[in-house]
Amino acid sequence: MIATLHKSISRLAQLGACSAIASTILFAVPAQAREHLFGALDNENLLNCENFYWTGQSVEANACYMNIIRTVNPPEIQAEAMWALGDLYTADELLEQAAQLNPDNAMILVRTGELYMRTYQYQDAYNFFSQALEVDPDNAWAHIGAAEALSTGNNGEEINAHLEAVQTHFASPPGARLRAMLMSINSVMERDLYDEARDLLDQAWDFVEDEDLPTIHLNALEAALAFVTRITDQVQDYIDAALSESPGYGDAYAIPGYFASITRRYAESGEFYQRAVEVEPKHWTAHLELGQNYLRLNKIDEGIRHVEISYEGDGFNPKTLNMMRLLDTFSENFVDLTFPDPPEGDGIPKLVLRLDRNEVNVITPYARELAEASMATFEERYNFPAKEPVVVEIFPNHEDFVVRSIGMPGVGILGVTFGYLFAMDSPTGHPDETYHWGTTLWHEMAHVYTVEASEHGVPRWYSEGISVYEEWNTGPIPGIKIPAYVLSFMAEGAFLPVAELDNGFMRPTYDEQVIVSYMQAGLIFQFISEEYGHEKIVEMLYQFVEGTDEVTAIETALEISENEFDRHFKQYIDIKFGPLLSNLQIWQQDLQATRQAYAAGDWEEAIAAANRAIFTFPDYVEQDSPYIAKALAHSQLEQDDLKFETLETFWHLGGYSARALKELADEYIAREQKAEAIEVFRDIHYVDPFDEATHGKLGDIYIELGRTEAALMEYQVGLALNPLDQATANYRIAAAYKALNDNAQAMEYLMTALDIAPQFRPAQQLLLELSRSEMNTQN
Amino acid sequence: MLVKYSKQVILVFAATLLSAVSFSVRAELYVTIIEGLGGEPVFEENFHNQSQTLADASVTLTDADKVALFRGENATRANLLAHFESRSAIMNENDRAAIYLIGHGSFDGEEYKFNIPGLDITTDDILNILGSLPGQNHFLLNTSSTSGALLEPLEGESRILVTATRSGNEKNATVFGEYFVEALSSEDADLNKNNNISIEEAFGYAQRQVEEYFESQGQLATEHSEIIGDGAAQFTLARINPVVISQENPRIAELQEQLLDIDQQIESLQLRRPELSNQEYIEQLQALILQSATINEEIDQIRGEDLAE
């Protein structure tokens, strides 16, 4: 046993290994330093110490635990004392000894499992609970432990089976039953089922009164429920009630803090966690959550301090280790740029870009332009001026971004908004062509406005839906874009009633349901906008400030019932997508035929099949769009005009494949259509900003049009990409500076170019011009 | 068939070929191009074009009688060994050799072989050939699949080695050679704009083109080229836009001579850079390049007038 614990700890210490347990603790409820025994053990000496601990007499409790260690007690009791005093390794050794002496004692195995839960080794913990159940199949503590270990994953049926075993067996101790009830209440609250939580809490209160059990946990959950249901005047009363029973019970604040966090009310969450660590300074999880919360609110120094405190106190927590590593990256690699610079008016910048040093010179111009445009758009469309600077963090390393967002790596998300701060992947984090980072930025910025305008009261689906709707209507590549597989689900009638749509995001029942739900939510706002007007969307958004639920908001603003809304929405989908959905199979066959013909080199058939697919679904411009195959096939047949027309249509419909667009941009240049070429290049940079050649070409067009400052920006981005041809890159910048009459800067870049390439004739010519200009000035 | 080229009148415009070598000693470049078996018509044609282009590019830089091309039935192991034996007798310590292997290769996990008619050339053969040539820093390009298997045996040798693959495990037919050869006549490859293509420039160009090739095909790259050895930036392989000394206008000829002199001064200045402050260096460089620019402008003017007449 000891070897196992040591091994696991050393494995945890290797940060890279943390991803192995990444997905297992995402939904863990915050634990406190010492878990309540709920009557699981009956040793009088130990219970005496526990009583000191839970009544806030920590000095007496420590002395009491020390006394257990110094006097003759069974090893499993000494283990409990060691555990309480923080020596988990010795506790593990003692439990192992105890298990060897008492191989038929299920409770020793149960407590070993609990110890492993405390060190975040959930699979090992589950194994111990399972061993305990082999010894004693009706052991309620083992069932509840197994259920909690499983709750760190996604094993609903098994969890329910264990909880049912606790609740239905006549011999289950009251404390185990109470733990099962607490788990159930937590679970329904996490799913926003607040009415059900209310019923369960009422049952639990009756139960603890009948059985004379502690009420601190119920009071903490009551405080959380009062908070999430916005009965704000009751929150502190319940917390005070819990603290009056156990003054050092940090979870009295941490549990409401957790629910504030998962409902995205980060400011309040931080306040709860701050109070939690004041009440219980050794509540390491609360320190971590507080630190993360500060980081979400852009209070970096405070965030770092609390994460470090958490790490010092609890080096087992992989979430803490991941955050520590991220903070190193943060301080070493990231820089802040504020805009406007210098700030105007009140002296506060409106936008902060937090970017990796290696990317800052490439990403900044585009990110700034897009961020400022989106802020202006959303301010107008949602009648909400940002009240704080919006902070945009762009991570080149996807795992860093995920850790920054949710604490653990291994999750496939692109952006996360916390309020006035959002984090997202840089295109470096997604080297494939499917990642349109400009759209992600637009999407997340929409969240900033919907979340803040609603004072963090907007339901998840509503905020996501507006962000998708804004992508389609105001984003960098407008147009409704629905992945092909989502269309298949739509054809099968997979959309949820509006009242259940949050479940599609929060508790998906199939792999694709989150994306299906994104699309449904986007289409709902498309429907509302077209049928009732955009202003109704805004009107409903502001209802969430008061805690109104989405059904009431819809019924109030649109003056139709929830059922009518669902029916009308279905009609809208039938009208808008009915013909396509009924021909979906044919379209998919044509798409497949296009691919097959192209792969076989049958260009004519590829074009014919692509034309059929385009006829059925002309708006489909994702990466497997038939337009791309058609353009390539025309290229093979040297049908340049047809290739150009196909690419142009693809682009006009919102196609964003960088490779296809680069071909189109070159075509526009060849046809002297400079304005169109500029637009295409700009679109390319929102997918692939790291291609030096595109910046050079765009800069050249700007020069031709006399837009020298724009050209200079593109040339500078090109140089920041460290191109092979440094001489040309420096020369271009020198020429742009010369055109802007900044001869000093021009000479600096020019001499860099000529140092690399002394015989570079255009650069020599520019040197002559600068030199003569200097002489003329002197004369 | 062994092909020899007639000599052309070409001015070696700057002493960049062997810039690391003392200018007082005439250093020669000896080129050997070995075209291996194609196996299929498409490869045969491809290899043929590449070796021919290489030969053409090489004579922009060195005498045609120092460029040897082996292909078809002539490209046998015996002929090649005899060729290098005679080369080792002709070359001196200051000379350099550029050897190009254009074709297919194989690697069985232990030994690399370059595929030619009859017995293949083995790793040991290559080591022996390079070892037998007088002088150091000779250049070997191997564009074949699995050519990366040569990297380890040649590591630490004072040679410059470019392979199309990074190991003997990359066994697909390669495209690297096509782009390396293309670089020798491409202005895009000439990063320092001196009209000379160095090994480093050709390698960089080819490497970038290979990346773009696989990206455009939507495929994972099946080859990753490698370069080892020092002095790749100083080793010139070809000259683009070779400057032919004016036979008709003595003033242009005079100016061209002056340009050659200035280029040598710039090269010398760049070698002395560590001894100078940045300001001193830039000032001196600027003065020399201004002279060069002025001369170039005068040449252009004279040529413009000539055309007008």
Side-chain angles (χ1 to χ4, degrees), chain A residues 433 632 658-659 662-663 688 691-693 723-728 747 751-765 767-769 771-772, chain B residues 13-14 16 188 190-196 204-205 208 212 214-219 263 266 270 273 281-282 285-286 289-290 292-294 296-297 300:
Chain A
E433 280 203 327
L632 289 168
R659 256 179 288 166
K662 284 175 191 175
E663 297 240 351
D688 177 14
D691 183 349
E692 179 257 337
L724 272 179
D725 190 353
Q726 292 276 327
T728 299
M747 184 62 87
M751 287 314 296
T752 304
L754 284 166
D755 189 21
I756 298 162
Q759 294 147 349
F760 187 14
R761 289 297 305 280
Q764 284 192 349
Q765 191 58 40
L767 181 64
L768 273 178
E769 288 172 31
S771 173
R772 286 165 185 161
Chain B
F13 197 62
T16 46
D188 287 345
D190 182 21
L191 299 181
N192 62 3
K193 321 294 180 195
N194 66 351
N195 290 325
N196 294 326
Y205 176 89
R208 188 179 48 194
E212 284 180 14
F214 282 102
E215 196 185 319
S216 69
Q217 298 295 310
Q219 297 171 358
D263 287 338
I266 291 171
Q270 288 181 324
R273 181 172 193 163
Y281 172 76
I282 292 294
L285 180 67
Q286 192 173 320
I289 294 173
L290 265 175
S292 180
T294 308
N296 273 318
E297 193 177 52
D300 288 346

Side-chain angles (χ1 to χ4, degrees), chain B residues 14-19 27-29 61 96 196 234-236 239:
Chain B
T16 46
L17 165 60
L18 303 171
S19 58
E28 300 289 355
L29 174 67
L61 196 65
R96 285 188 182 184
N196 294 326
Q234 286 78 38
F235 198 132
T236 302
R239 179 159 295 114

